[in-house]
């Protein structure tokens, strides 16, 4: 493959200026053998979706970048109760959610307006407003570039967890080309998540449709999350840390207003609250800062380099560690 000077700024929502050693756009399954060649030639091959969860740390990325651009939504099966659809990995997630809601297919309406591609949804098991991608995924279709083999991974084998899956930190040689969803045709709104519940209480609606929930979630998100087209960002920069009961009680006795949610195996702490309590919400250091309306979101005020973002992330982690003795893990994927 040719060397490249293609600037990747438009392909990452943090809007970091950088190039890779090689760049390739994947548009159809026929190109999969070619991706295997790239993978063999460049041991560091990074698969890029919408670039909405990626931080390029250097202005010259070592290795190749394969950007997933294939398109298509295909109905595989349908009955009175549900519908099985195969969606190309390069489709926009937001567009797919709207496509489904318009047809009355439900299960993903709470995941409206999340930037990025369909192929990235299973990788970090995107989640918001009380729903996660795993709730609606039936199986994932990928191509193992090392073994040159097609693979189908059933939902049970995807190892889904909170912002986690079998592809999050391992199996990077598997290129996801399609995701198959099982969507419901009988709509039962899921409005348990606090922000959504409060909205519905303030604006009661008799029989909201999936399309209406999609609009409401979009409105709530837009009210607190920065638009990457205006202010570069990668959504939540850190994960909400999970701690055990003892650790939770230690923190709660010391910090009475700690925000935490009970989970199956412990407590999930609100990373946004931890960051805000350190006085970092809305704080700006040079070209980067934590957003003024959502402390969990780091923003690029313009011209920030990957290194500045990484340094600032370290500073936030250290400040939280010093105050609470809690380790924040980054959610965003760092690429060197
Ligand atoms: N909070 C603060 N300060 C803030 C923001 C929030 O103290 O600046 C507290 C509030 O008490 C609030 C609670 O944290 O009630 C939870 O806040 P929010 O509903 O915004 O959720 P989050 O846990 O901060 C997660 C996801 C978001 C997703 C929202 C809504 C992660 C890492 N992030 O954020 O996902 O939109 O829930 O469901 O789990 C993303 O992944 O890029 C993303 C934006």
């Amino acid at each position: 493959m040719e060397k490249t000077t293609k600037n990747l700024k438009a392909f990452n929502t943090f809007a970091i200026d950088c190039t890779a050693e090689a760049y390739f756009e994947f548009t159809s399954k026929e190109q999969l053998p070619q991706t295997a060649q790239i993978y063999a030639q460049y041991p560091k091959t990074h698969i890029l979706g919408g670039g909405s969860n990626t931080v390029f740390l250097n202005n010259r990325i070592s290795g190749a970048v394969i950007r997933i651009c294939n398109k298509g939504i295909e109905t595989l099966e349908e009955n009175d109760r549900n519908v099985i659809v195969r969606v190309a990995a390069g489709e926009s997630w937001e567009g797919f959610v709207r496509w489904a809601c318009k047809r009355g297919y439900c299960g993903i309406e709470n995941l409206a307006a999340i930037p990025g591609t369909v192929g990235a949804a299973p990788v970090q098991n995107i989640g918001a407003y009380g729903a996660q991608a795993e709730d609606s995924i039936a199986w994932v279709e990928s191509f193992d570039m090392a073994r040159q083999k097609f693979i189908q991974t059933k939902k049970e084998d995807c190892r889904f967890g909170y912002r986690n899956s079998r592809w999050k930190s391992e199996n990077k040689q598997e290129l996801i080309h399609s995701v198959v969803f099982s969507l419901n045709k009988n709509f039962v709104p899921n409005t348990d998540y606090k922000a959504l519940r409060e909205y519905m209480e303030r604006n009661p609606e008799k029989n909201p449709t999936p399309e209406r929930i999609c609009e409401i979630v979009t409105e709530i998100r837009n009210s607190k999350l920065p638009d990457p087209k205006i202010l570069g960002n990668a959504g939540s920069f850190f994960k909400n840390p999970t701690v055990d009961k003892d650790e939770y009680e230690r923190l709660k006795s010391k910090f009475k207003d700690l925000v935490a949610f009970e989970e199956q195996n412990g407590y999930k702490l609100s990373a946004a609250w931890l960051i805000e309590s350190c006085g970092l919400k809305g704080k700006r250091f040079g070209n980067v800062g934590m957003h003024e309306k959502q402390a969990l979101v780091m923003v690029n005020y313009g011209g920030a380099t990957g290194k500045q973002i990484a340094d600032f992330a370290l500073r936030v982690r250290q400040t939280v560690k010093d105050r609470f003795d809690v380790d924040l893990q980054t959610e965003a994927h760092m690429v060197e």
Side-chain angles (χ1 to χ4, degrees), residues 20-92:
E21 276 181 67
Y23 171 79
F24 179 74
E25 287 185 357
F26 170 80
T27 54
S28 86
K29 265 169 90 171
E30 283 69 54
Q31 294 168 318
L32 286 169
Q34 213 175 331
T35 65
Q37 279 171 18
I38 298 168
Y39 186 77
Q41 193 179 342
Y42 295 93
K44 277 183 76 180
T45 296
H46 176 70
I47 300 171
L48 186 66
S52 53
N53 199 42
T54 300
V55 181
F56 290 120
L57 291 178
N58 302 309
N59 36 9
R60 182 78 173 158
I61 300 300
S62 62
V65 166
I66 299 179
R67 190 162 78 94
I68 309 298
C69 305
N70 60 331
K71 297 278 186 280
I73 304 181
E74 177 191 358
T75 299
L76 301 182
E77 260 178 64
E78 182 166 6
N79 61 32
D80 295 346
R81 280 168 295 130
N82 67 6
V83 55
I84 309 286
V85 283
R86 173 187 282 133
V87 189
E91 284 285 347
S92 120

Side-chain angles (χ1 to χ4, degrees), residues 20 47 67 74 89 107 109 132 135-136 190 197 216 260 267 300 313:
I47 300 171
R67 190 162 78 94
E74 177 191 358
E109 59 285 347
Q132 296 191 96
D135 307 333
S136 303
N190 165 12
R197 195 180 59 232
I216 294 171
Y267 287 80
N300 174 2

Side-chain angles (χ1 to χ4, degrees), residues 52-53 114 124 127-130 162-163 193-195 221 224-225 234-240 259 261 268-274 276 281 291-297 331:
S52 53
N53 199 42
I114 297 181
Q124 79 240 34
Y129 301 98
Y162 167 62
R163 295 297 195 277
Y193 195 86
K194 191 165 168 252
R221 283 186 74 92
K224 49 183 168 183
L225 294 172
S236 300
F237 195 89
F238 298 102
K239 288 201 246 188
N240 289 325
V259 176
F261 306 92
K268 199 184 268 176
L269 308 178
S270 162
W273 183 87
L274 297 172
E276 185 174 349
K281 185 175 185 173
H291 189 51
E292 56 185 12
K293 292 196 194 141
Q294 220 307 1
L296 194 47
V297 178
E331 209 244 299

